[in-house]
Amino acid sequence: MAEYSAILNRTASTTASLGTIAAPASGMRRGEIYDVLFGSEAAAADNPFLYVFQRFTAPGTSTAVTPQPLDPADAACVAVAGTNHTVEPTYTAGQVLVRLPLNQRSSFRWWSDDRGRLRYPATASNGIGIATPVSSAVLISETVFFNER
Amino acid sequence: MALKTNGYLYIADPDGPPIERDTMTCGHCQQMVQVKPNTGGTVYLIPVMHVGHAEGHWHYKEEDGAFCRVCMRPICLECHKRGRCVTWERMFERMEARGSWWRRFLHLGGVGG
């Protein structure tokens, strides 16, 4: 089971999405997000953010990010990652996995053992997106660690 | 019954001490839920944002936790309200089966064919 990291930076996005991790259109595999770090590198300001992790069925239009294997001997990642969305993913209503209000100046990390991971199915273009629905176009960087089964 | 948590979160807030909490992932929909410290995972903390507050403050509302006695896993309050046991494994099997059926349908020229 290979592990990967994807660094997603929302710099010039016109949407609320920060980034997505999705199964590809063919040759899909299940994936598990087990560690997420994020924070804003914008000038310090008191802005409320609601961070939301939500399932989607289509990843929208974004700048591709190549997930890096944590062990260089592992094969390239099958999943596709994206950031700086110009078209929002097709989020599935009611399938919110994480809902976390934070101040812009706060940074956050969540990690889990193998029972608590956030998984996405081996279904074409399905995955998990991270968004700030309350506010868009603010610089936010995140690092997502995940594996593929 | 005390439940073993399966995740952990850390919030670094420049205005106060860091917040560290155990989390549990719903055995049905996989929603991550924060749990109140020293309650054995039996009390959830649900974030509630103060609407209209300029600095975006929020508070956490305490709610009794929920546990599915069919799959024997902790679940979120939304899944508890639904009252049905559909584990994430079962949900994924359905999603993957639906996806492969759709691919076969397209491959056989099912749309307009």
Side-chain angles (χ1 to χ4, degrees):
Chain A
M1 185 165 53
E3 298 179 329
Y4 303 90
S5 76
I7 296 174
L8 309 173
N9 300 299
R10 181 171 70 185
T11 54
S13 174
T14 55
T15 66
S17 290
L18 306 181
T20 53
I21 306 285
S26 61
M28 302 79 72
R29 296 170 69 179
R30 284 187 184 180
E32 303 177 332
I33 295 174
Y34 60 88
D35 195 346
V36 183
L37 306 89
F38 52 67
S40 173
E41 70 267 43
D46 280 327
N47 291 319
F49 285 163
L50 178 66
Y51 289 91
V52 167
F53 292 38
Q54 191 165 2
R55 293 193 191 283
F56 61 80
T57 54
T61 306
S62 63
T63 305
V65 173
T66 305
Q68 296 299 312
L70 300 188
D71 181 347
D74 282 334
C77 186
V78 170
V80 290
T83 190
N84 273 335
H85 286 68
T86 52
V87 176
E88 289 278 20
T90 308
Y91 287 113
T92 310
Q95 298 222 349
V96 175
L97 306 182
V98 176
R99 186 180 286 114
L100 187 79
L102 283 181
N103 189 284
Q104 181 184 325
R105 295 189 296 163
S106 299
S107 55
F108 167 83
R109 183 176 186 186
W110 170 82
W111 66 98
S112 78
D113 65 18
D114 58 355
R115 293 169 301 137
R117 294 173 177 176
L118 306 178
R119 300 170 175 93
Y120 57 84
T123 302
S125 304
N126 276 232
I128 296 172
I130 305 171
T132 55
V134 173
S135 173
S136 62
V138 174
L139 279 71
I140 293 175
S141 285
E142 64 201 58
T143 306
V144 180
F145 294 93
F146 64 101
N147 64 41
E148 291 187 321
R149 290 188 167 272
Chain B
M1 181 172 67
L3 300 170
K4 197 175 173 203
T5 53
N6 51 32
Y8 197 71
L9 69 80
Y10 180 93
I11 299 170
D13 186 347
D15 290 336
I19 298 168
E20 298 178 62
R21 290 216 179 98
D22 288 327
T23 66
M24 286 203 292
T25 302
C26 173
H28 292 178
C29 71
Q30 297 212 298
Q31 184 182 151
M32 184 271 276
V33 183
Q34 299 181 47
V35 301
K36 186 180 178 185
N38 304 315
T39 61
T42 57
V43 177
Y44 293 169
L45 294 173
I46 310 298
V48 180
M49 210 155 190
H50 291 184
V51 177
H53 196 292
E55 295 185 357
H57 287 181
W58 62 89
H59 70 278
Y60 284 90
K61 185 172 68 168
E62 292 183 14
E63 293 278 0
D64 289 339
F67 188 79
C68 176
R69 290 185 180 274
V70 178
C71 62
M72 300 303 281
R73 295 175 182 176
I75 56 174
C76 68
L77 300 179
E78 285 85 353
C79 288
H80 181 249
K81 277 183 205 150
R82 270 183 218 116
R84 288 182 295 125
C85 178
V86 181
T87 62
W88 68 265
E89 291 95 332
R90 182 79 190 112
M91 180 175 74
F92 278 19
E93 283 166 11
R94 286 180 187 170
M95 292 166 85
E96 288 164 359
R98 205 162 41 230
S100 65
W101 179 88
W102 184 240
R103 274 200 314 282
R104 277 201 306 274
F105 181 73
L106 293 175
H107 181 70
L108 295 172
V111 175

